[in-house]
Amino acid sequence: MNRDVIERKKTEEDIRLQKAFFESLMENSSEAIAITDTGGVIKRINSEFARLFGYTEEEAVGQDINALVVPSDRMEEAKGIDRISVGGKTYRIETLRRRKDGSLVDVSLMGAPIIMDGDIVDKFAIYHDITDRKTAEAALRQSEIKYRTILDSVEAGYYELDLAGNITAGTDVAASVFGGSPDDFLGRNFAEFCDEENAQALFEAYKKIYETGQPVKSILWNITAPDGTKICAETSAALMRDADGEPIGFRGISRDMTERKKAEDEIRLQKAFLESLIENSPEAIAITDTGGVIKRINSEFTRLFGYTEEEAVGQDINALVVPSDRMEEGTGVDHAAASGKTYALETVRRRKDESLVDVSLMGGPIIIEGNTMALLAIYRDITDRKQAELELQGAYKIIESQKERMEEELNIGRQIQSSFFPESLPHIDGWEIVAHFQAARQVSGDFYDAFILGSGGLGFVIADVCDKGVGAALFMGLFRSLIRAFSELHYGMGLSELLDEGVGDHSHRDIEAQQLTDFNHTRALEIILSHTNNYIASTHSKANMFATLFWGIIEPTDGTLSYINGGHESVAVVGPKGIRTTLEPTGAAVGMLPDMVFEAKRIEIYPSEFLVAFTDGITEARDAGGELYGEDKLMQLLNLPAESAEDMLSCITTSLAAHTAGAEQSDDITMIVIRRS
């Protein structure tokens, strides 16, 4: 009888100690822990769960774990891992969960079933906040999105389709989602398993994947199994490509929705949970007596520090893993735990091979009926995070250095490009000439020029080189220099000599040469622009650069304008009563192909009339809401009376500035206004 009593008391004492260990481990764990029944209803949470998600134990217990913390777009994922644990397996994933305030948090999630006597009675889930690590990785990898591959989730049902939607491969799990075996669905089209509405929705989703190359997640659709059963499934899919990068089909995963089992027996659950929690924990755990002598370690402790359980148990924890220069720190945290306090710090510990490892260390007492019976220490390897922080700091320094150097080089480029614009515009009796230029970046692809020709005529050009930035700026300088050079050559040496040099395929050799005294501005425009076009298209064809431009020559004495519009915006001729006419394109953009023909035309500018030329940076300027300034608004302004070219220019720029206030400029803005007095 006495022996039975002694055995019973010993058993009760063991149970009390195990329960105390469980309570201490739960409450002092640095991880958020939830225990649910097999249906996912919460039975217990720890204080870290309450801190991470914002729910008190009273608010959480009795709630469905998925409804409480799983975002709506992750619900199928949560149900999938529930099925894994109910199937007797452990899972580890990185995912998103939702706090009480609605904010999302990146977590690593580990879970497993609680098994007693061979039966699954409950489940546990351990959440670790990985926000800091995710942030460091995102910054270091320049916000590159990290996708899990479909094969990592093959247990959720992996399948492949050809471009016509025929099923070419799939796992048994995928077959079960479709309501049968692989023989029931291989070779068949996905549309055969659903009604017309669902088939169309899936077709649109796969079409989007094909057109964009981007994967699509969480496509919900209803399947009709071969036996007529209706199954609701969730599919995520991505494009498959061959070795040459050509699309060949689609691959994806499908999940079905199943019911969870329920369970019972809280006391026996705690013992089973304690064993499972310690052995499956992603953190290194050591339990010591109040003097620091190790009583238990888990497999992660062995992996992290290199000591087997046989080597560690019975050793002083500080002598085993604390470096000599940290011994005072080690004894200090032990004293804190022994006095009933919890602690958390980042520090360094020593492995069996004498190498040092960065760890976050959290610990506290295991208390039974008010007495400290043991101490708990939890170690997390933070080597990767520390290394990422160092690399991120180095990357920031490099980026700042490169940014400063780039700013300096762009500043030099801006100064050089500014020298290409005329310092002052020509002054001709009876004519007013004003211009406006506003670059969208430090260097520009727009340009304008105005200069007096050898004949006394006024040459002017406004152009927009395709693209923006440094490349466009370089070609801007080239276009401007070529037009200037060929103009000076033509009006300086005579047309006959210029024709002797040839243009392109010598298509102009049949033109009779004219003497210097017999200037023909329209022919001069065609020849100069042909030379410019052929040089760009032949010498720099690989750059694929071209420009739209309006190139004109005004004879000041009689107001005759000879011009070529090479694919540019229409130029407005504005009289006292508004817009008289617009000068539409007479040919293609310059520099696209060699030997293109450019037709010059003529028109007279009457006294008091304006000539208004601009680039598309004006009409395509957007306000803060994204609305275009538009050609209609510009034409309305041109129909308003103006006293001078300066008044006309000021009216337009003021209106444009008001429209774009608060918005980022997306394109260069250039305009020339010429008025005949």
Side-chain angles (χ1 to χ4, degrees):
M1 179 67 72
N2 290 336
R3 183 176 181 180
D4 291 341
V5 171
I6 291 171
E7 288 294 332
R8 187 177 71 249
K9 287 185 177 181
K10 185 176 184 302
T11 300
E12 291 173 352
E13 183 63 26
D14 287 343
I15 292 173
R16 288 172 59 202
L17 180 59
Q18 289 168 358
K19 184 174 181 180
F21 277 6
F22 170 74
E23 292 295 333
S24 181
L25 190 60
M26 280 283 290
E27 289 309 313
N28 292 292
S29 175
S30 61
E31 312 298 347
I33 300 172
I35 301 170
T36 72
D37 61 23
T38 55
V41 176
I42 296 173
K43 301 174 73 175
R44 176 74 185 277
I45 64 170
N46 68 346
S47 56
E48 180 61 18
F49 185 99
R51 186 202 66 76
L52 179 59
F53 292 107
Y55 292 100
T56 65
E57 186 166 15
E58 291 75 15
E59 294 172 322
V61 170
Q63 299 296 319
D64 181 86
I65 186 70
N66 293 343
L68 199 68
V69 300
V70 177
S72 58
D73 62 346
R74 301 274 178 155
M75 195 60 69
E76 292 307 313
E77 169 197 272
K79 292 179 178 179
I81 62 179
D82 283 348
R83 287 195 293 273
I84 291 173
S85 62
V86 170
K89 297 180 180 179
T90 298
Y91 60 86
R92 296 173 187 263
I93 63 167
E94 291 186 359
T95 184
L96 284 175
R97 288 299 180 257
R98 185 185 63 242
R99 297 186 175 100
K100 181 179 179 180
D101 61 7
S103 63
L104 300 180
V105 58
D106 287 294
V107 297
S108 66
L109 173 59
M110 189 279 287
I114 307 302
I115 300 174
M116 292 186 303
D117 298 332
D119 296 325
I120 297 174
V121 296
D122 270 320
K123 301 177 298 181
F124 72 89
I126 302 175
Y127 303 82
H128 172 53
D129 186 350
I130 58 173
T131 302
D132 291 343
R133 198 196 82 204
K134 285 289 186 180
T135 301
E137 289 175 351
L140 183 61
R141 298 175 188 177
Q142 300 178 349
S143 301
E144 196 175 272
I145 301 174
K146 182 181 179 182
Y147 290 105
R148 287 193 341 230
T149 63
I150 295 173
L151 288 178
D152 288 336
S153 300
V154 70
E155 291 182 355
Y158 175 82
Y159 69 91
E160 294 180 1
L161 306 176
D162 62 21
L163 292 177
N166 298 313
I167 302 169
T168 58
T171 63
D172 290 344
V173 177
S176 67
V177 174
F178 285 83
S181 66
D183 293 337
D184 295 325
F185 77 110
L186 286 178
R188 297 175 62 182
N189 194 278
F190 72 87
E192 298 178 35
F193 295 91
C194 54
D195 58 27
E196 183 176 349
E197 179 180 354
N198 281 273
Q200 183 62 33
L202 278 176
F203 173 81
E204 294 298 331
Y206 287 121
K207 179 182 177 184
K208 180 179 179 182
I209 295 170
Y210 180 85
E211 292 175 345
T212 66
Q214 297 298 313
V216 172
K217 298 180 179 180
S218 300
I219 310 168
L220 293 177
W221 60 304
N222 292 318
I223 297 173
T224 302
D227 63 358
T229 303
K230 301 294 183 179
I231 303 172
C232 181
E234 179 194 61
T235 292
S236 297
L239 192 63
M240 289 197 305
R241 300 180 184 273
D242 61 17
D244 297 324
E246 293 298 319
I248 58 172
F250 308 92
R251 61 163 59 96
I253 54 174
S254 286
R255 302 179 180 90
D256 65 344
M257 298 181 181
T258 59
E259 297 298 326
R260 273 39 172 199
K261 296 180 180 179
K262 296 182 180 179
E264 64 213 19
D265 202 338
E266 173 106 17
I267 296 176
R268 296 176 64 192
L269 166 68
Q270 291 178 354
K271 181 179 178 180
F273 170 73
L274 179 61
E275 293 296 324
S276 184
L277 181 61
I278 291 177
E279 285 309 310
N280 292 290
S281 174
E283 314 296 349
I285 298 175
I287 300 172
T288 72
D289 62 19
T290 54
V293 176
I294 298 173
K295 301 175 67 175
R296 174 78 186 275
I297 63 170
N298 69 346
S299 56
E300 183 63 18
F301 187 98
T302 298
R303 188 202 66 77
L304 179 59
F305 292 108
Y307 293 101
T308 65
E309 187 166 14
E310 291 75 17
E311 293 172 322
V313 172
Q315 300 295 318
D316 182 85
I317 187 70
N318 291 339
L320 198 68
V321 299
V322 177
S324 58
D325 61 345
R326 302 266 181 165
M327 195 59 68
E328 185 176 348
E329 170 194 273
T331 56
V333 296
D334 281 352
H335 291 157
S339 62
K341 299 177 181 178
T342 59
Y343 59 85
L345 71 156
E346 292 187 357
T347 185
V348 174
R349 288 296 181 258
R350 185 185 65 241
R351 297 186 175 102
K352 181 180 179 180
D353 62 5
E354 299 297 329
S355 63
L356 300 180
V357 58
D358 289 298
V359 297
S360 67
L361 172 59
M362 179 269 180
I366 298 174
I367 299 174
I368 300 176
E369 297 180 354
N371 297 315
T372 299
M373 304 300 295
L375 307 180
L376 174 70
I378 302 174
Y379 304 82
R380 181 188 310 141
D381 186 350
I382 58 172
T383 303
D384 291 343
R385 197 197 81 201
K386 289 289 186 180
Q387 183 62 32
E389 290 172 355
L390 290 175
E391 291 177 0
L392 184 58
Q393 291 173 6
Y396 280 147
K397 291 180 180 178
I398 293 172
I399 291 170
E400 287 300 318
S401 175
Q402 292 176 341
K403 181 180 178 182
E404 291 175 3
R405 184 164 61 251
M406 186 179 297
E407 291 288 344
E408 181 179 351
E409 292 175 355
L410 286 175
N411 188 48
I412 294 172
R414 182 174 63 251
Q415 294 173 6
I416 294 173
Q417 187 180 28
S418 297
S419 68
F420 291 143
F421 290 91
E423 292 185 4
S424 61
L425 295 170
H427 295 280
I428 302 176
D429 290 342
W431 294 85
E432 302 172 43
I433 308 170
V434 294
H436 174 79
F437 170 73
Q438 183 177 329
R441 301 181 182 177
Q442 289 177 299
V443 289
S444 165
D446 279 13
F447 74 96
Y448 71 88
D449 201 2
F451 48 92
I452 302 298
L453 299 168
S455 65
L458 170 65
F460 70 95
V461 62
I462 184 170
D464 184 357
V465 178
C466 70
D467 206 0
K468 303 176 183 65
V470 175
L474 292 173
F475 273 85
M476 180 277 280
L478 181 59
F479 274 103
R480 181 261 187 193
S481 299
L482 288 172
I483 292 173
R484 276 262 188 164
F486 286 132
S487 297
E488 292 175 3
L489 181 64
H490 172 73
Y491 284 95
M493 63 184 284
L495 181 59
S496 61
E497 297 173 68
L498 183 63
L499 290 173
D500 286 341
E501 295 183 356
V503 177
D505 62 354
H506 306 282
S507 61
H508 300 297
R509 283 187 172 178
D510 59 339
I511 302 175
E512 296 181 359
Q514 300 179 28
Q515 297 300 318
L516 182 61
T517 56
D518 184 21
F519 286 106
N520 182 327
H521 290 322
T522 57
R523 194 70 192 120
L525 286 168
E526 292 172 350
I527 293 171
I528 292 168
L529 204 57
S530 292
H531 274 287
T532 301
N533 174 78
N534 287 350
Y535 182 86
I536 296 292
S538 300
T539 308
H540 300 287
S541 59
K542 292 183 179 180
N544 293 320
M545 284 288 189
F546 58 87
T548 66
L549 59 78
F550 186 92
W551 164 222
I553 299 176
I554 295 175
E555 186 58 50
T557 57
D558 61 9
T560 300
L561 167 65
S562 302
Y563 70 91
I564 292 176
N565 187 335
H568 197 70
E569 303 295 313
S570 302
V571 174
V573 179
V574 183
K577 295 183 179 180
I579 298 172
R580 173 163 68 93
T581 187
T582 55
L583 308 182
E584 305 297 327
T586 62
V590 181
M592 297 178 68
L593 295 170
D595 303 322
M596 291 196 302
V597 176
F598 296 94
E599 179 186 2
K601 293 189 176 182
R602 299 175 62 151
I603 188 174
E604 183 177 352
I605 306 301
Y606 300 121
S608 299
E609 284 193 330
F610 297 84
L611 191 67
V612 182
F614 54 90
T615 61
D616 60 8
I618 293 180
T619 55
E620 294 180 3
R622 296 181 182 273
D623 62 14
E627 182 178 351
L628 294 174
Y629 186 76
E631 188 172 344
D632 290 344
K633 184 176 290 187
L634 178 60
M635 295 300 108
Q636 291 174 7
L637 291 179
L638 296 181
N639 282 314
L640 298 176
E643 297 296 325
S644 66
E646 187 63 47
D647 287 345
M648 175 75 76
L649 182 67
S650 177
C651 178
I652 296 171
T653 56
T654 300
S655 172
L656 187 64
H659 178 81
T660 59
E664 182 179 358
Q665 183 179 340
S666 61
D667 199 0
D668 305 321
I669 294 173
T670 310
M671 183 165 49
I672 294 179
V673 180
I674 301 174
R675 180 177 181 269
R676 184 180 181 186
S677 302

